[in-house]
Structures are given as C-alpha cells and as structure tokens.
Amino acid sequence: MNTSERLKNLIAQYVLKYNYWGYLFSRIRRRADPGLKSIMGVAPERDGSIVLLYRPEYLDNTSDESVLTVLEHEGMHLLNKHIPRLLRIMANEMTTIIAKSKAEIWNIAADCSVNVQANIRKPIPINGRNWPVCLPERYNLPEDKITEWYFLELLKTSKTIEIVGPGGPGKKGLGYEKGGLDNHAGWQLDGVPDLSSLSRKIDGHIQDVIKDSLKTFSKDRGTLPAHIADLIQDALAPPKAPYYQIIRKLIRGTRLSKFKRSFTTVNRKRTYVFMIDDKHLPMISPFPGRKRDYTFKIVVLIDTSGSMRNEDIAEGLSGVKNIIEKDRHVHTTVLEVDAGVEKEYRVKKIRDIQFNIKGRGGTTLGPGLFRARELECDVCLAFTDGYTETINDYARKDLPKKIIWVINKDGDVSRVNRTGWVVHL
Ligand SMILES: [Zn+2]
C-alpha cells in the first residue's frame, strides 16, 4: 500500500471509530511533499483553501498511533484558526523580513497553545527518532494562555537569528531556534499581494470545513471532547474585522480621495489619475508649473481622562503604521485632552505616543476637536470612552473635516456618533 492510500485509510478508520479528526481531515486536501522538514503540516493555499502536506519517507516509518497524534496537533491548529490569525499579523508588517520573523515566533506560540490544549506532552516517535513537543515550559512561560499572549511574550525575549526558508538565509531577524513537531511549512507566503484578504478567505474556508464535518459527526452521534467543542464554538462565531483594519481602510480612503480631488480639479479629462492608488502616488506633479500639496495631516486625539490604555492606541494605529512612519508627506500630531488640551506634540513613530491616564472619567473634548480643526487636519482619530459633552450638538464647521471615533468596550457612542465614523474596540 502506498503512503497516500495508507493516510486515506487511516483517516477513514478514524471516521469509523467516531473520532472527530477523521471527519475533519477527510474534508482537507492532502499532498505529498518530499521536501517537508517534518512529517506533516497544514498549510494555506493561494486560493484560500487549506492543504495537509506530508513527507512520505517519514510517514512510511511512523506508527499509526504517532500519525494520529500529529493529525490531532494539526487539527488543533485548524480549530484555532492559527493560519488566518498569523496572516492578519503579517498583513500589518511593512517588510517581508519582519513578517517572516514574526511568523516564526507565531509558530512557536501556536504550538505552545495547541500542545497544552490537546495534552500532547511526550516526545513522539517519528521516522525512528523521538520528536520533542514544543511546550510553554521550554520558554519559561505558563500554560493555558492564548496564542497572541505567547506571541507577545516570545517577541519580548526573542534574539536576532538567521531566518531560514524563502527570503533567508543570510537575512537576520528576530526569532528562536525551533525544534518542534512540525515546522509549519508553507505558512510563509511569498508574494501574496493582499494577505488580509487571503486571511479572510482561509478563515471562511476553515469555517465551512468545520461546519460540514460537525454536521456529519453529530448525525453519526459522535461525542466531542470538551476542549474541542469549545474551540469549535469559537471558530464558528461570526468573524469580527479587527478594528485596526477598519481604521486603516478609513484613513487610506480619506487620503486617496484627497489626492483624487486635487488632481481632478486640474483637468477633468485626465481621468487616468483615478488609476493611481495609494502606493503609487506620484512624487512629482504630473502637471508642470503647478505645485500640489501632498501633505496629509493626521491628528490623534487622546482622551486622557477616560479608560483607553497605551496598548489600545498602539493597536489601533498598527494598521496605519506604514502611513504614519514611512510616508514623509504625513504629519501626525497628538493632542492629549482632558478638560482642555493638556499637551500637543508631533510624532514620527507610533511608539513615541506616551501619555498618562488620569482615569477620572468625564471630560470636555470640544477644545481638542476645535484645535484639530485649527491644525487643518485631514482626519482626526479620537480615542475615548465617549463620556464627554455632547459633540453631536457642535456646529459641523467647527469640527475637523473627518473624525474617526475609536470607542472602547464600555464606552458610550451616543454623544459623538453623528459627527464621524465610529469604530468599536
Ligand atoms: Zn504545530
């Protein structure tokens, strides 16, 4: 029997034994990959689907029992949606090398969570060798944290190492030496133009596969172990667009429309300017003799009497990091507002935004908004809990042209919601 038939039969047997992993993996495409560094791995495809890759040479020399353990490990990655979650992180990075480094660290974090969830702790005999299992203990971290938590902790303690795989070697990035069960081959996609849209596609695909497998599984009256049932419930919940992506969309849209406006007023016949996207804005005016204003002014207004934390603001701005930090035409001013404007300063980097929360609640944001208007900002991002005077009552002409309200969970939108977009944390 060849390797592919054996794997197919194994999965079919799990179905007969009412083992959920059989139901899940009978719906996932499989492909032999002799170059794989480990026995198996789930990987994203460019069309938004998922494939189970396996190395025939290793699989042939591994017991059914070990294969099931590895399948369970891979299945846990799927239920946790680890691939689309990673792609979302990578989509926000401006350089490939940083994205790759973060992917390496994410993979360790993902293993730390799934091995604890599935209680996989002992080394697994594969191809005549015992493969160590990646657990939080190895990094002196506690168990039962979510993957994002491990990711941030590991980022703090990572060292500069050589990046392996495409794009490396020779390039240095942050990371750890890895020695786990699978190396998540193919999780690093080179040259995919839009990682966030791929991430959404894969997310939807995994959801369909889970839904489908669950239907048959329940019909067969299979019983799910509790830890899997919880993960499935989370995985099937309607997807939430991370709010920083909404902020990015709004800011890029505003910026783009500003340039479209300034070009189209020059000559209506030159419609080709509509083809110019955000990334390819010309640096030299295509209309000699006229000077264009390329500056784009962002005001970040922070309500320091509220309950917004520094991390929330950094997270909120992470999607527009490129625009704020890399674009020399963008000017970002921070206004810290309490009863009035307490502080005003320019920033080049998001991490330069530092403020002290007074946390008394109740504030007057009006003066901050009037100042933002005075600064002639193109867009004002206001971080607040919304406990302020009724902004909706102010004359629109006294307020900034565009306002994006970023309101935290316990916040109240009722006093601000008619003056701009509202994004919930
Ligand atoms: Zn893994």
Side-chain angles (χ1 to χ4, degrees), residues 40-42 73-74 77 82 107-108 110-112 114-115 134 178 180-184 187:
M40 263 189 256
V42 281
H73 174 98
E74 300 306 329
H77 281 315
H82 276 146
N107 293 342
I108 299 175
D111 277 354
C112 284
V114 301
N115 289 328
C134 174
K178 180 132 194 294
L181 183 60
D182 55 352
N183 72 335
H184 304 135
W187 283 28

Side-chain angles (χ1 to χ4, degrees), residues 175-242:
Y176 281 94
E177 307 295 346
K178 180 132 194 294
L181 183 60
D182 55 352
N183 72 335
H184 304 135
W187 283 28
Q188 299 166 6
L189 290 169
D190 282 297
V192 170
D194 187 351
L195 285 176
S196 34
S197 99
L198 181 66
S199 154
R200 276 194 303 277
K201 268 192 209 157
I202 293 178
D203 200 307
H205 174 75
I206 295 179
Q207 227 173 50
D208 291 345
V209 171
I210 295 175
K211 228 183 265 171
D212 204 29
S213 60
L214 191 65
K215 218 165 139 189
T216 325
F217 185 73
S218 327
K219 220 191 278 163
D220 289 353
R221 299 179 190 281
T223 320
L224 282 178
H227 68 285
I228 299 180
D230 287 349
L231 282 174
I232 289 182
Q233 202 175 15
D234 288 349
L236 294 182
K240 278 178 274 167

Side-chain angles (χ1 to χ4, degrees), residues 4 99 141 211 238 314 326 333 356:
S4 123
L141 296 173
K211 228 183 265 171
K326 292 279 149 168
T333 307
N356 290 316

Side-chain angles (χ1 to χ4, degrees), residues 308-315 350 353-357:
M308 198 70 74
R309 297 168 312 154
N310 239 315
E311 300 93 272
D312 296 331
I313 311 242
E315 165 93 27
I350 287 168
I353 301 177
Q354 291 297 334
F355 57 91
N356 290 316
I357 286 289

Side-chain angles (χ1 to χ4, degrees), residues 330-359:
V330 168
H331 297 182
T332 308
T333 307
V334 177
L335 298 178
E336 295 182 15
V337 184
D338 185 340
V341 179
E342 304 285 316
K343 255 199 218 168
E344 174 179 332
Y345 51 99
R346 284 274 296 273
V347 286
K348 288 233 161 64
K349 294 231 180 306
I350 287 168
R351 65 158 186 272
D352 295 338
I353 301 177
Q354 291 297 334
F355 57 91
N356 290 316
I357 286 289
K358 300 181 186 80

